[in-house]
Amino acid sequence: MNFVAPDFMPVVPELFVLTMACLLLVIDVFLEQRQRYITYGVAQLTLLGAALLTLVTYAHAPVTTMFGHYIKDAMGDLLKIFIYLSSAAVFLYSRDYLRRRDLFKGEYYVLGLFGVLGMMIMVSAHSLLSVYLGLELLSLSLYALVAMDRDSPVASEAAMKYFVLGSLASGMLLYGISMIYGATGSVDLQVVSDAVARQGADNLVLVFGLVFLVVGLSFKLGAVPFHMWLPDVYQGAPTSVTLYIGSAPKLAAFALMMRVLVDGLGTLQGDWQQMLIILSVLSIALGNLVAIVQTNIKRMLAYSTISHVGFLLLGILAGSPEGYAAAMFYAIVYVLMAVGAFGMVIMLGRTGFEVENIDDFKGLNDRSPWLAFLMLVIMMSMAGVPFMAGFYAKWMVLQAVVNIGLVWLALFGVVFSVIGAFYYLRVVKCLYFDKPEQSEPIHISLDTEIAISANGLLLVALGLYPTALMTWCATALLN
Amino acid sequence: MQNIYLGIILAPLMGALIAGLFGRKIGRSGAHWITIIGVATAFLLSLIVLRHHVLSGAAPYNGSIYTWMIVEGIRLEVGFLVDNLTAIMMATVTFVSLMVHIYTIGYMHDDDGYQRFFSYIALFTFAMLMLVMSNNFLQLFFGWEAVGLVSYLLIGFWYKRESAIFANMKAFLVNRVGDFGFLLGIAAVLMAFNSLDYADVFAAAPLMASMTVQIIPGADWSLMTVTCILLFIGAMGKSAQVPLHVWLPDSMEGPTPISALIHAATMVTAGIFMVARMSPLFELSPTALSVVLVIGSITALFMGFLGIVQNDIKRVIAYSTLSQLGYMTVALGVSAYSAAIFHLMTHAFFKALLFLGAGSVIIAMHHEQDIRKMGGLWKYMPITWVTFLLGTLALIGTPGFAGFYSKDSIIEAVHASQIPGAGFAYFAVMLGVFVTSLYSFRLYFLVFHGKERMDHHTQEHLHETPAVVTVPLILLAIPSVVIGAMTIEPLLFGEVFKGVIMVTPEHNVLEHLAEHFHGAMNFALHGLTGLPFILVLAGFGSAWYLYMARPDVPERIRQLAAPVYDILDNKYYFDQFYQRFFARGSCETGTVLWKYVDAGLIDGLLVNGTARWVGWVAAVTRHLQSGYLYHYAFAMIIGLLILLTWFVTR
């Protein structure tokens, strides 16, 4: 049997991240605690290097390699760039938090980088095997990250729940993959797609496989009713890990949906569209309604995530190029908002005090007008107020849904985003109209402050010039 | 050039933002310097634009500078259309605004809201420029609402005064009526043309001339007529035409510089500007033009009458403003758009002058505004006296002064017009000349001449106002005298508005005038023998006789013609009617809605109901979100099963 070496050029960014993560593991062993910032620096440099490699090799036409298991195309590269970007922001925002909590360990960064690698593989997966591989690599890193604060009972409980439920979801996904393999005889998404096109939607095994796949993917995204882990994990995990879970993995999960459902099972669109409608309706409704009664900010943001996932699904289920582009735009904007919001939660903490409740934001305007303004921008954007990025994102997915004739669904989305505006505005009310309960000054290192300012202003800029990113998304999806 | 246009827009905005947000830090002088520098920059750049377009004859600029988004092919954007019309408006607006800024230093000297005031007027300048420079309906509407907002804020500037709050609420509500029509008009444009861009709409307009629309089933209305009348309703609100005029006299509750800038020279002329800008649409609907003409003539004449019986110095000028706006509207109605813009411009100068002069008097009189308590001021404040007299002469249309050229052109244009309503309009504007002259000189005599009727204390402290007040007066007096003679030829009979304002040949009344026009000098000499001048003299004579020679006569006339006086004193009962019918009606409807719909349906069922429902959902979910792992796994399995059965049993 001859072994033909695959073309390694397209996977250079992955190889780079892998090498650096392994290297970091070794370096970290030889560092003392006070030199830990070297680990942090190397992790950031890794992301920077990967970003440069991806940019330099930006794919203008799709290339498959690794015997068809891996594809490098513009959509993947675009998403990867935002994965690096948000992960870099995550590392930066959580640095001081980890230090405060005595969690400033090499593992966080090593696991973080492995997670990034997992996401990269998910984004570029071109077979069901690489889908599973990437997903598990990410998930295992996340389980470990959640459990990192070993002495915290809530964190351990959250990690346990996440692990068990995640395994269950992985099992379902794997089961679905096996059925698809049984029906089509291949795991290569191209082959699967051709086979499905021949067989049509009448093959019950295929539909069974599809349901299991959708369930597995929905778990990753956190769509209702597969969302139960989300609030508990978001709340229980150390905030730096919540920040990580809540951001870049959503981009990877979106890519996964696109790869599996659109590239692989595009012919079954009629079937998965109905499933996604159910999931998105439930997510939008439950996410927004339950978020209203939350007092814990992390839990509130968890439910808000669920509702955003519902909106994201609207774009995918539209099944049109503009819908996909809108969903992609939504995913990117959502990640920027989530990073900002959780970043804000982290930053307002200090030694011996962490922000847990919405009330902790009271009177922020009196303590730091600039941070209050940034939080205002993030909340307004999440609520979908015009001239913020979030508005345009919502608008585009709703328009995509209207264009395929599902006006009721769009109306439903609008009504619930109005309901949802309540809990975002409540935070704004806390920021500006309540008296502060604490008077301690807020200390934020300069680089963090610059990053969060850029983060907030980016949301305004994307609201004012949405077309730039939108065009980028649309062209990336075209080739 | 694009950078210059942007600079004109942004300079006042920067000033407004800095003065508004950091007013406390930069202090009083910081606030006036930053805004004055901003507006002065805008003025100087506007002069460059004026030279570039009007004098050098550069082609109009039409371009978008920022596109927010494109929805179904409709572009939502900010763009500039700068042609001769815009350039003239920009120069006028920024000049008057600059004068008012400087004047404000003196007028608001002791006010606590000093920085706030400067921030507002600079913001107003920005909004007004956005309005006139717009190249699409959406931005026009933005500017329209933004100037309305600032006007509202400034009428209620002294927000602790009950009358000011009442007046700004009134202005707000009345303008809402107009703006609603305007918005519907824009919607009609959007519906018919599927574009909001001026250039697209104007290019497509002739094709739509014969299109009809059914609003009430069975009745076919011309689309153009409906659109134009709706747009004109917006203009009626903003430019205070009968019956939406009631807010303007009350707006005098605001500080006097505002009355000069917003409620005389610029904002209220936005409606006039808008109709002139939309001339390609209005020309297609003779019906709409007739409506414009009749509304304008009613306003011009009947609002003038009210000026005669007012005793508040600012209100007299306010009614004069209403009447002059009526003249401009009349000009629009007879398709003499350039005459309307011409009068708009001259009026901006002399009316700003009169208001600022009145403000100067008010400062000197320690905020006494009743003209019955003035008199003989000429010897105490010579500069105010002379400039006020020049403004008055311009307003009444003394041959040679700015107002004469513009007003006489309008009268001649109406005379030449054939459209329905022109006969009445001619009568109205002619009689209006007499009325204008009468109330203007009544005001002038009562304030500056005759017996000194103020109390002793005030009289002792009477003196001329400081230079920041008088210099703007002088600077405004110059154009009030000369601008008409200088610009009548190019504006009315030249090529300035060619391609900007569209007039169909059968409506082109200015062409008739052009045949008899032989230079500005000749026009003025000819005016000396015309009927309008005789009426001006008659008005002057009556005013002199009634208020100088025989001050006891007006009282006797009042007793003799009590019913007429009552009608005028009550302003034709418009206020009472609106108050009883609309305001109280709305309040009562509101009460009913509040009691039954709001408290019962909305609060009871929807709000509390939703809250209960949300609480219930949350409680159930919280119950589901029990924290037990097996519950979670169970939910997932159930979800999976439901999806499976859905697809298998389908």
Side-chain angles (χ1 to χ4, degrees):
Chain A
M1 186 179 149
N2 281 335
F3 180 77
V4 185
D7 181 7
F8 282 109
M9 273 316 283
V11 287
V12 164
E14 279 83 353
L15 290 177
F16 176 71
V17 173
L18 173 65
T19 318
M20 289 305 284
C22 295
L23 202 62
L24 196 60
L25 199 55
V26 179
I27 295 175
D28 190 61
V29 176
F30 296 100
L31 292 178
E32 290 173 37
Q33 181 57 33
R34 60 186 173 80
Q35 294 170 315
R36 203 64 68 199
Y37 62 89
I38 295 177
T39 316
Y40 164 75
V42 173
Q44 291 286 38
L45 282 179
T46 308
L47 291 174
L48 181 66
L52 289 178
L53 284 172
T54 308
L55 274 177
V56 168
T57 62
Y58 191 82
H60 295 285
V63 184
T64 53
T65 183
M66 296 288 164
F67 314 106
H69 288 292
Y70 179 94
I71 185 169
K72 179 179 174 66
D73 58 3
M75 179 189 98
D77 284 349
L78 170 54
L79 286 174
K80 276 179 205 169
I81 288 166
F82 279 98
I83 288 174
Y84 307 138
L85 191 69
S86 63
S87 304
V90 168
F91 288 171
L92 175 59
Y93 292 167
S94 44
R95 185 190 56 201
D96 295 336
Y97 171 88
L98 292 171
R99 207 175 268 159
R100 284 201 300 267
R101 300 270 305 245
D102 255 348
L103 291 171
F104 197 50
K105 294 178 185 142
E107 285 84 348
Y108 180 79
Y109 296 103
V110 173
L111 287 170
L113 285 182
F114 274 119
V116 168
L117 180 61
M119 291 186 248
M120 291 164 79
I121 296 174
M122 285 160 78
V123 164
S124 276
H126 194 246
S127 83
L128 293 171
L129 270 189
S130 37
V131 163
Y132 187 71
L133 190 68
L135 190 60
E136 283 307 286
L137 182 52
L138 170 65
S139 302
L140 287 172
S141 310
L142 291 183
Y143 304 147
L145 277 173
V146 175
M148 208 174 72
D149 190 2
R150 269 178 311 178
D151 301 332
S152 157
V154 273
S156 311
E157 187 192 326
M160 203 62 209
K161 280 179 188 163
Y162 190 22
F163 178 63
V164 173
L165 295 174
S167 311
L168 187 63
S170 289
M172 289 178 183
L173 188 72
L174 213 45
Y175 193 50
I177 290 175
S178 72
M179 284 190 189
I180 302 280
Y181 179 67
T184 60
S186 174
V187 289
D188 187 305
L189 286 172
Q190 190 56 50
V191 184
V192 169
S193 167
D194 294 342
V196 173
R198 274 197 308 278
Q199 300 179 5
D202 298 330
N203 190 340
L204 202 58
V205 181
L206 261 187
V207 175
F208 251 77
L210 176 65
V211 173
F212 278 98
L213 275 183
V214 168
V215 170
L217 297 177
S218 308
F219 177 83
K220 271 289 121 199
L221 272 175
V224 179
F226 311 104
H227 69 286
M228 302 290 246
W229 61 279
L230 216 133
D232 289 17
V233 171
Y234 271 39
Q235 189 186 0
T239 316
S240 61
V241 177
T242 312
L243 173 65
Y244 188 85
I245 301 178
S247 53
K250 300 295 175 213
L251 288 174
F254 161 76
L256 217 52
M257 281 258 170
M258 290 297 291
R259 296 284 182 217
V260 175
L261 295 185
V262 180
D263 291 354
L265 302 168
T267 329
L268 299 181
Q269 201 225 341
D271 297 280
W272 55 254
Q273 186 180 50
Q274 292 180 22
M275 282 187 244
L276 294 193
I277 290 178
I278 300 172
L279 294 175
S280 76
V281 163
L282 287 175
S283 304
I284 292 174
L286 188 122
N288 279 320
L289 285 180
V290 183
I292 291 177
V293 290
Q294 303 302 322
T295 50
N296 182 298
I297 180 93
K298 281 157 81 180
R299 251 186 130 72
M300 185 203 97
L301 288 173
Y303 282 104
S304 133
T305 303
I306 295 173
S307 79
H308 283 295
V309 164
F311 277 101
L312 178 69
L313 291 177
L314 287 184
I316 300 180
L317 68 84
S320 56
E322 47 154 6
Y324 300 145
M328 190 158 164
F329 184 89
Y330 202 109
I332 293 170
V333 168
Y334 167 71
V335 166
L336 290 176
M337 297 189 297
V339 169
F342 283 113
M344 209 53 117
V345 173
I346 282 192
M347 269 168 227
L348 296 186
R350 58 179 180 273
T351 315
F353 170 76
E354 290 304 333
V355 171
E356 279 290 324
N357 293 319
I358 298 174
D359 287 351
D360 294 335
F361 279 92
K362 273 187 181 170
L364 182 62
N365 186 42
D366 293 346
R367 299 167 66 205
S368 167
W370 179 240
L371 287 183
F373 172 74
L374 291 173
M375 189 67 182
L376 169 77
V377 167
I378 294 166
M379 286 296 124
M380 289 292 183
S381 183
M382 282 200 167
V385 173
F387 299 112
M388 300 284 165
F391 166 76
Y392 194 74
K394 276 207 173 70
W395 170 266
M396 289 312 289
V397 292
L398 291 174
Q399 199 182 29
V401 170
V402 169
N403 282 353
I404 58 161
L406 296 174
V407 180
W408 68 269
L409 193 53
L411 275 178
F412 180 83
V414 170
V415 168
F416 273 92
S417 52
V418 172
I419 295 178
F422 172 80
Y423 56 88
Y424 298 120
L425 291 180
R426 191 175 51 186
V427 176
V428 173
K429 179 205 150 231
C430 277
L431 293 175
Y432 284 94
F433 298 105
D434 289 342
K435 286 272 153 277
E437 288 174 352
Q438 307 160 15
S439 49
E440 286 82 358
I442 299 166
H443 292 296
I444 299 177
S445 53
L446 184 65
D447 49 354
T448 322
E449 182 156 6
I450 292 172
I452 189 85
S453 306
N455 191 335
L457 295 179
L458 193 59
L459 291 174
V460 181
L462 281 177
L464 290 174
Y465 291 95
T467 9
L469 180 58
M470 194 66 203
T471 323
W472 195 12
C473 288
T475 41
L477 283 165
L478 271 183
N479 61 32
Chain B
M1 277 319 268
Q2 202 186 338
N3 289 335
I4 293 184
Y5 302 145
L6 259 180
I8 293 174
I9 289 276
L10 293 181
L13 179 63
M14 280 298 140
L17 287 179
I18 294 173
L21 297 177
F22 308 104
R24 236 177 285 168
K25 278 186 198 147
I26 58 175
R28 293 163 82 90
S29 61
H32 71 234
W33 274 113
I34 195 82
T35 49
I36 287 176
I37 288 170
V39 174
T41 312
F43 171 60
L44 292 176
L45 293 176
S46 298
L47 285 185
I48 295 176
V49 173
L50 192 70
R51 203 189 62 191
H52 180 68
H53 284 282
V54 180
L55 301 182
S56 313
Y61 169 89
N62 183 7
S64 93
I65 51 164
Y66 161 61
T67 306
W68 182 40
M69 56 199 249
I70 301 171
V71 185
E72 312 271 315
I74 300 156
R75 306 169 64 86
L76 308 182
E77 60 185 12
V78 176
F80 296 148
L81 169 61
V82 183
D83 51 22
N84 291 342
L85 174 61
T86 316
I88 289 171
M89 286 298 289
M90 282 157 66
T92 313
V93 168
T94 47
F95 176 66
V96 177
S97 172
L98 182 61
M99 291 303 111
V100 168
H101 271 76
I102 296 170
Y103 177 91
T104 302
I105 300 175
Y107 192 84
M108 301 296 284
H109 189 261
D110 302 319
D111 202 278
D112 290 336
Y114 195 74
Q115 287 97 321
R116 185 162 57 99
F117 191 85
F118 274 101
S119 167
Y120 285 169
I121 49 176
L123 183 67
F124 167 78
T125 313
F126 159 75
M128 189 69 197
L129 288 169
M130 280 294 271
L131 191 161
V132 297
M133 289 170 76
S134 165
N135 76 341
N136 61 74
F137 283 89
L138 197 71
Q139 188 186 337
L140 173 73
F141 187 70
F142 165 79
W144 194 265
E145 290 298 307
V147 291
L149 168 73
V150 182
S151 154
Y152 166 78
L153 289 172
L154 283 167
I155 295 173
F157 184 77
W158 286 310
Y159 52 85
K160 285 177 187 155
R161 268 195 213 167
E162 199 144 320
S163 57
I165 296 304
F166 180 79
N168 83 343
M169 181 70 95
K170 187 164 167 185
F172 185 77
L173 290 176
V174 174
N175 269 296
R176 227 61 351 241
V177 178
D179 292 350
F180 186 59
F182 189 52
L183 198 56
L184 287 178
I186 293 178
V189 168
L190 185 59
M191 186 186 76
F193 297 95
N194 201 30
S195 170
L196 287 171
D197 196 82
Y198 288 167
D200 296 351
V201 171
F202 296 162
L207 305 173
M208 301 279 181
S210 55
M211 267 194 41
T212 55
V213 60
Q214 284 196 350
I215 293 172
I216 302 163
D220 276 324
W221 288 344
S222 155
L223 176 73
M224 274 303 133
T225 303
V226 171
T227 310
C228 289
I229 289 181
L230 285 172
L231 290 174
F232 181 63
I233 291 175
M236 282 161 68
K238 196 66 71 202
S239 292
Q241 299 295 302
V242 175
L244 297 180
H245 65 282
V246 289
W247 64 274
L248 189 63
D250 284 24
S251 75
M252 297 300 132
E253 286 297 336
T256 309
I258 289 319
S259 311
L261 176 63
I262 300 186
H263 303 121
T266 55
M267 184 194 81
V268 290
T269 58
I272 310 297
F273 164 79
M274 189 267 287
V275 176
R277 177 55 93 206
M278 304 294 154
S279 59
L281 302 183
F282 278 81
E283 277 304 297
L284 297 173
S285 170
T287 319
L289 284 177
S290 275
V291 171
V292 173
L293 179 61
V294 171
I295 297 274
S297 9
I298 292 174
T299 311
L301 180 59
F302 289 92
M303 292 302 119
F305 284 140
L306 297 184
I308 304 174
V309 298
Q310 293 297 318
N311 289 320
D312 182 312
I313 182 167
K314 283 177 73 183
R315 278 180 184 258
V316 176
I317 310 180
Y319 279 105
S320 146
T321 304
L322 281 171
S323 162
Q324 297 305 310
L325 287 168
Y327 274 88
M328 295 176 213
T329 311
V330 166
L332 297 172
V334 296
S335 300
Y337 303 101
S338 13
I341 295 297
F342 184 35
H343 195 49
L344 186 165
M345 181 184 72
T346 59
H347 175 256
F349 294 125
F350 63 69
K351 192 51 66 68
L353 170 62
L354 285 176
F355 262 120
L356 296 188
S360 176
V361 168
I362 293 171
I363 301 174
M365 295 292 298
H366 295 285
H367 291 270
E368 175 58 64
Q369 302 193 5
D370 193 330
I371 51 178
R372 287 168 299 190
K373 296 181 185 160
M374 299 178 187
L377 289 181
W378 66 275
K379 49 180 175 271
Y380 301 103
M381 20 193 355
I383 299 176
T384 308
W385 167 53
V386 173
T387 50
F388 198 93
L389 177 62
L390 291 176
T392 306
L393 290 174
L395 168 65
I396 59 169
T398 316
F401 285 77
F404 160 75
Y405 287 100
S406 51
K407 199 188 281 183
D408 238 36
S409 315
I410 292 175
I411 296 171
E412 289 302 318
V414 177
H415 193 47
S417 174
Q418 303 295 331
I419 83 165
F424 167 66
Y426 185 62
F427 165 75
V429 292
M430 209 43 128
L431 188 53
V433 172
F434 169 75
V435 177
T436 308
S437 178
L438 176 58
Y439 67 67
S440 300
F441 274 107
R442 168 179 176 260
L443 179 68
Y444 171 75
F445 286 138
L446 285 177
V447 173
F448 289 100
H449 296 279
K451 226 173 77 192
E452 296 173 18
R453 298 177 295 275
M454 64 289 276
D455 57 48
H456 185 64
H457 175 77
T458 314
Q459 193 177 16
E460 270 183 349
H461 291 86
L462 272 176
H463 58 82
E464 184 59 279
T465 40
V468 283
V469 173
T470 51
V471 168
L473 292 181
I474 295 166
L475 289 180
L476 280 167
I478 296 167
S480 300
V481 177
V482 300
I483 198 88
M486 278 166 60
T487 56
I488 178 166
E489 191 157 357
L491 284 189
L492 292 192
F493 311 117
E495 303 272 284
V496 170
F497 290 129
K498 196 177 161 93
V500 178
I501 286 172
M502 210 206 74
V503 183
T504 49
E506 60 265 31
H507 290 161
N508 200 341
V509 288
L510 288 175
E511 208 160 71
H512 289 275
L513 268 67
E515 286 166 18
H516 304 290
F517 182 79
H518 309 290
M521 201 60 187
N522 240 322
F523 194 74
L525 288 177
H526 189 256
L528 283 174
T529 57
L531 180 58
F533 187 56
I534 296 169
L535 289 170
V536 165
L537 289 179
F540 169 77
S542 318
W544 181 81
Y545 178 76
L546 291 173
Y547 298 100
M548 293 295 289
R550 299 283 304 276
D552 55 317
V553 176
E555 188 54 45
R556 258 193 283 159
I557 296 179
R558 176 184 307 174
Q559 280 158 7
L560 274 176
V564 179
Y565 179 81
D566 278 347
I567 289 176
L568 291 182
D569 195 37
N570 285 301
K571 302 159 214 152
Y572 309 116
Y573 297 96
F574 268 111
D575 280 333
Q576 283 87 337
F577 176 71
Y578 288 164
Q579 198 72 32
R580 293 240 171 94
F581 192 73
F582 289 113
R584 198 200 282 171
S586 308
C587 280
E588 277 167 13
T589 320
T591 314
V592 171
L593 288 177
W594 163 61
K595 273 197 179 141
Y596 298 99
V597 179
D598 203 53
L601 187 69
I602 296 185
D603 271 358
L605 209 66
L606 293 181
V607 175
N608 293 337
T610 313
R612 267 198 298 276
W613 185 61
V614 168
W616 179 79
V617 171
V620 169
T621 349
R622 195 175 275 169
H623 202 67
L624 287 178
Q625 197 78 32
S626 54
Y628 291 121
L629 192 52
Y630 57 90
H631 283 172
Y632 293 5
F634 188 65
M636 281 174 70
I637 306 275
I638 294 281
L640 173 73
L641 283 179
I642 291 173
L643 284 181
L644 269 183
T645 31
W646 172 289
F647 281 98
V648 175
T649 59
R650 188 170 45 134

